[in-house]
Amino acid sequence: MDKGCWKLTLALVVVLANTYTEASFSRHMDDFIKAVKQVEDGDPGAEPVAVLKRLRRAAGLDDAFIQHFLGNAESSGPEMDAGLSEYISKAVQHRVTDDGREEGVVLTSDGTTVALRPLLLGIEAGFLSKSGRRVRGLYQLTLAKDLSLALRHSSPLTQHLRPDGCWDNLTSPQVFTLSSTPTLLTTAQVNGGMDGVVVGTEVSAKTKSHLKLSSLLTEYYCHQLDNGGLDAALRFISRRRRENFKGLVAPPVLVRKVMKSVELQRTLKGRSKMGGKEKKQLMAAVKEGMKEFVHMFMDCPPIIPRCMWGAEPYRGTPTNLSLPLSFMYIHHTHTPSQPCLTFQQCSADMRSMQRFHQDDRGWDDIGYSFVAGSDGHIYEGRGWHWRGAHTLGHNSIGYGVSFIGDYAARLPSQHSMGLVRDQLASCAVGGGRLVADFTLQGHRQVVNTSCPGDAFYNEIKGWEHYGEVKN
């Protein structure tokens, strides 16, 4: 090959590399971590803060509010590849389109969707901190600003806080569409905000200061559970985001952070301070709205929606439940017999059970209202509003919740039982779906999936009348 041909080939390779970067990366956290590693590899030895500033510059996250806490996004280092920069910009910039698509979010390996903007801002704030657990601007950058927009609007708050959604493809996700009317604060934003607080607090303690950003994200989002499940898992993993976040911040603190965020935004826009009456009214609205936020995202467990585990449509017309109910019936499965430890396996188990119930039993849908995996999540079956087919003669007066796995001779993990006993039951009561004094009962199923004297049934008997302490 002569020199002229070599130069042409080299130029072609460079062009293809630049265009390949954006096209080859999906909206999966694994691919975003690969993109971060490319940024790191392009500037070996760069500290995590420098990498974060480069990401922030590529994404255009440099408004006055952010600069107030983090400074500007200018940083030294080589010019970022154009295709890589374009991917980062699209992956991080958050918005909800008129047709209900949410951009600036990624799918994580545990099956949840996370907004990258609050996550990255929280991590940068943590690395910049010199004061341990007190991180300057941590809550304002991750949650408080978005919460201030949502909590200041009129009730019902569920119109402004709530929607999750579904991806077009779980292997190579590109498009995330909300499952209900777009709102001011989505589940992905809350997940990203919580993760920003958790990870930002962790790195501020300098326990992770030696890690590269890509390694830090891998440690948090890609942890594989062993047979001990979450009972034996590390504390610092994404599956524990709600419990970790709840352990870091109390609702009154969040209220104060939201109020400070509102005041700072007014100052940065050159507006006068709020008067006493206006401030009092805002405080009352924020406190009231915070109750709903705490219920939805701190009391309730993470629930994987039907579309995410690949549910087939309901056959026929669902029968709506008449709420509130008085019972929650607890089951365990015979098949699948083993606990599921990943989103992928739990989803496959859900599809298998739905096929059995629909095709072999002739039911309209999977029989259970909800199903507890051992991966840290509750899976939506027929949900809160549709009558199930789980407890013969009792389907209209209670929810049916099943644990994946055969527990005739052993118990589910303590974490899985806590998800149902503490969080799902509390979520049902707080949402007005169960009466305050309800009964939570173990049920020996009509199909022989439990037997007299089994460990599981004896354990669940101790949960009866549990609702009286969850008002």
Side-chain angles (χ1 to χ4, degrees):
M1 180 182 293
D2 62 35
K3 291 183 178 179
C5 185
W6 168 257
K7 289 180 181 178
L8 177 61
T9 303
L10 180 61
L12 179 62
V13 169
V14 171
V15 170
L16 287 176
N18 286 343
T19 57
Y20 178 74
T21 304
E22 162 63 14
S24 60
F25 285 150
S26 72
R27 279 9 180 214
H28 196 287
M29 179 62 80
D30 291 354
D31 275 341
F32 181 73
I33 292 173
K34 291 177 185 176
V36 171
K37 193 173 188 310
Q38 281 196 19
V39 175
E40 294 170 337
D41 291 345
D43 189 12
E47 294 293 324
V49 169
V51 174
L52 285 158
K53 284 186 178 295
R54 295 189 70 196
L55 296 175
R56 181 153 57 94
R57 182 173 58 187
L61 303 182
D62 210 24
D63 59 40
F65 188 88
I66 294 173
Q67 287 189 17
H68 178 81
F69 297 107
L70 303 179
N72 64 50
E74 293 300 320
S75 63
S76 58
E79 190 69 22
M80 191 182 298
D81 172 271
L84 181 61
S85 179
E86 182 181 4
Y87 169 78
I88 291 170
S89 176
K90 290 182 178 179
V92 176
Q93 287 183 0
H94 184 270
R95 74 181 186 120
V96 176
T97 65
D98 292 339
D99 59 352
R101 294 185 177 186
E102 186 173 8
E103 300 175 351
V105 299
V106 294
L107 173 65
T108 70
S109 296
D110 66 17
T112 56
T113 300
V114 172
L116 289 173
R117 180 183 186 275
L119 167 67
L120 296 176
L121 294 178
I123 297 175
E124 187 173 347
F127 273 119
L128 288 174
S129 173
K130 302 292 184 182
S131 56
R133 294 172 69 88
R134 293 185 177 181
V135 184
R136 182 174 180 267
L138 182 62
Y139 293 99
Q140 285 86 350
L141 291 167
T142 54
L143 270 176
K145 184 179 179 181
D146 291 334
L147 273 172
S148 71
L149 295 175
L151 301 186
R152 290 154 64 186
H153 287 74
S154 59
S155 60
L157 184 62
T158 50
Q159 294 180 0
H160 303 288
L161 277 177
R162 179 182 55 193
D164 207 334
C166 290
W167 287 94
D168 59 333
N169 185 294
L170 297 182
T171 303
S172 182
Q174 296 290 348
V175 178
F176 185 71
T177 305
L178 296 175
S179 56
S180 58
T181 304
T183 62
L184 296 172
L185 188 60
T186 66
T187 296
Q189 284 176 277
V190 175
N191 287 341
M194 287 184 171
D195 287 346
V197 170
V198 172
V199 183
T201 301
E202 185 79 2
V203 300
S204 74
K206 307 305 179 187
T207 58
K208 306 294 179 184
S209 58
H210 63 286
L211 286 179
K212 289 183 174 291
L213 178 61
S214 59
S215 300
L216 177 70
L217 294 174
T218 299
E219 177 184 355
Y220 185 71
Y221 287 106
C222 304
H223 178 77
Q224 299 294 314
L225 297 178
D226 58 24
N227 290 335
L230 278 167
D231 287 355
L234 300 172
R235 178 187 61 82
F236 183 68
I237 56 175
S238 60
R239 287 182 177 89
R240 295 190 183 275
R241 76 165 51 88
R242 294 195 182 198
E243 59 189 271
N244 284 334
F245 180 80
K246 193 173 182 178
L248 288 173
V249 58
V253 174
L254 269 182
V255 170
R256 292 198 298 271
K257 299 296 185 182
V258 169
M259 294 298 295
K260 287 185 177 181
S261 178
V262 174
E263 292 169 346
L264 176 59
Q265 291 175 69
R266 291 176 68 102
T267 300
L268 293 175
K269 293 177 181 178
R271 297 175 59 188
S272 60
K273 292 185 177 180
M274 287 183 287
K277 183 178 179 180
E278 183 183 4
K279 190 171 184 179
K280 186 176 180 179
Q281 290 175 337
L282 177 60
M283 176 67 82
V286 171
K287 284 183 176 180
E288 187 62 30
M290 189 62 69
K291 294 178 184 177
E292 185 68 15
F293 173 81
V294 168
H295 170 68
M296 293 170 64
F297 295 108
M298 296 172 74
D299 293 340
C300 290
I303 298 176
I304 301 295
R306 291 170 61 90
C307 58
M308 284 296 291
W309 59 262
E312 290 294 321
Y314 190 100
R315 295 178 180 176
T317 302
T319 299
N320 287 329
L321 290 164
S322 180
L323 306 179
L325 306 180
S326 300
F327 297 89
M328 185 175 281
Y329 297 100
I330 310 301
H331 305 250
H332 67 95
T333 65
H334 182 267
T335 304
S337 62
Q338 297 301 313
C340 59
L341 297 172
T342 66
F343 162 68
Q344 292 76 15
Q345 185 58 54
C346 292
S347 296
D349 288 346
M350 291 294 291
R351 293 192 296 271
S352 175
M353 286 188 289
Q354 187 187 40
R355 283 194 299 270
F356 174 72
H357 289 174
Q358 287 185 321
D359 298 340
D360 291 47
R361 294 282 175 195
W363 299 347
D364 296 329
D365 197 1
I366 188 171
Y368 305 118
S369 307
F370 295 96
V371 177
S374 294
D375 62 335
H377 295 140
I378 299 292
Y379 287 76
E380 181 186 25
R382 299 204 189 187
W384 296 117
H385 300 289
W386 294 352
R387 189 172 72 190
H390 46 80
T391 313
L392 186 63
H394 299 78
N395 294 318
S396 63
I397 60 174
Y399 293 112
V401 182
S402 187
F403 289 82
I404 293 179
D406 184 352
Y407 296 107
R410 55 177 173 157
L411 291 176
S413 69
Q414 291 297 313
H415 190 278
S416 295
M417 289 194 292
L419 278 180
V420 174
R421 182 188 62 227
D422 302 329
Q423 297 182 51
L424 188 63
S426 176
C427 185
V429 172
R433 302 173 182 105
L434 288 173
V435 296
D437 185 8
F438 71 96
T439 301
L440 197 156
Q441 294 183 333
H443 179 69
R444 291 195 176 96
Q445 301 171 19
V446 176
V447 180
N448 185 23
T449 61
S450 304
C451 58
D454 70 41
F456 180 81
Y457 179 69
N458 290 329
E459 170 71 19
I460 302 305
K461 284 197 297 184
W463 295 2
E464 292 187 13
H465 303 294
Y466 187 76
E468 62 189 10
V469 298
K470 302 300 288 185
N471 189 355

